[in-house]
Amino acid sequence: MVYEEYVEAGISRLVAVYHSNFPESVGPVRSMRPMDKNIMGSYLGPLVFSGAQPGFISQNRSAGIFQISQDLGDYGFYRKSGRSAPHNLHAYPEDLLEQSGDTTTPPAQWAFAYPDAGATAQVQGRDVSSVAIIMSGWAHPGWNWDASSGTWLRTEWDAPHVTMDGTQLYATNIVIMRVDITYNRSGGGASVPETMLAGRSGSGTLISGSKAVDITWSKGSNVTDKIVYKTADGKEVSLMPGNTWVELVPNSGSVTIN
């Protein structure tokens, strides 16, 4: 699963959640933001990063978030040749897992439908083929339905968004959450945007396969509370089995689904 969040100057950052299958290495590993604990907290797993304002590290520790970072002296990180810093820091997930202290399976964040046809969007949704998101003047992610692969293909500014080997990023499910942004000045450095999740609620859209349905979301006041997604009739949603991207779109931005 991947969460896309709004950060400084309106650019976006990706928070990747590796759950069942670990690649040999992951990266680039970048700095932590104050709202990341509200994502990783509900998984009860380690938050891996490189660099952060001291106050945010302390806040995570106080909230019970297990942190793994090159800057804290943890191991498993390396510099990848052919790229310049800070975009060349990668890590070996197996080494990170050894340091996590607790390998208990994290709580389920949502239900998955078996068979696929039972997923909420498949049952209640409307047909869609494209998603255009404007998070800010600097972040324009998008998604296009690819019927041949049965997945959504990701774009940035209408160009394919690809991995280092040229593979276009894809998703089975897309969860769009409309969120409030505030500026956090408690880290000890410059103020940074923070997506407000804990103790909040809002609207959104769930897309599974080629269908979309309107939803609401809510999260309890604790960082360890999971985000609950419901349809208009108050029932919790189910997703199609597969990878999922969660788009945390500021209310000041826009989402166009066709």
Side-chain angles (χ1 to χ4, degrees), residues 114-223:
Y114 295 95
D116 293 2
T120 299
Q122 289 291 301
V123 174
Q124 302 183 27
R126 60 192 183 276
D127 289 328
V128 294
S129 60
S130 66
V131 180
I133 299 172
I134 298 178
M135 299 185 76
S136 74
W138 294 98
H140 288 203
W143 297 89
N144 294 306
W145 174 247
D146 181 55
S148 62
S149 64
T151 61
W152 287 88
L153 301 180
R154 181 177 166 86
T155 61
E156 286 276 4
W157 291 89
D158 297 324
H161 186 185
V162 300
T163 60
M164 292 179 65
D165 66 3
T167 302
Q168 189 167 4
L169 296 170
Y170 64 91
T172 300
N173 305 288
I174 305 168
V175 181
I176 298 170
M177 298 170 56
R178 303 308 302 267
V179 296
D180 289 324
I181 305 291
T182 189
Y183 278 78
N184 191 321
R185 297 173 174 82
S186 63
S191 64
V192 296
E194 179 176 0
T195 301
M196 304 307 293
L197 294 180
R200 300 294 183 103
S201 60
S203 60
T205 305
L206 166 62
I207 302 171
S208 293
S210 61
K211 294 183 179 292
V213 62
D214 294 332
I215 59 171
T216 61
W217 66 269
S218 62
K219 181 179 174 69
S221 58
N222 296 320
V223 298

Side-chain angles (χ1 to χ4, degrees), residues 2 12 50 57 62 80 93 95 100 108 110 125 127 144 190 242 252:
V2 180
S12 67
S50 174
I57 293 177
S62 297
K80 192 173 184 68
D95 287 346
S100 66
W110 37 52
D127 289 328
N144 294 306
S252 59

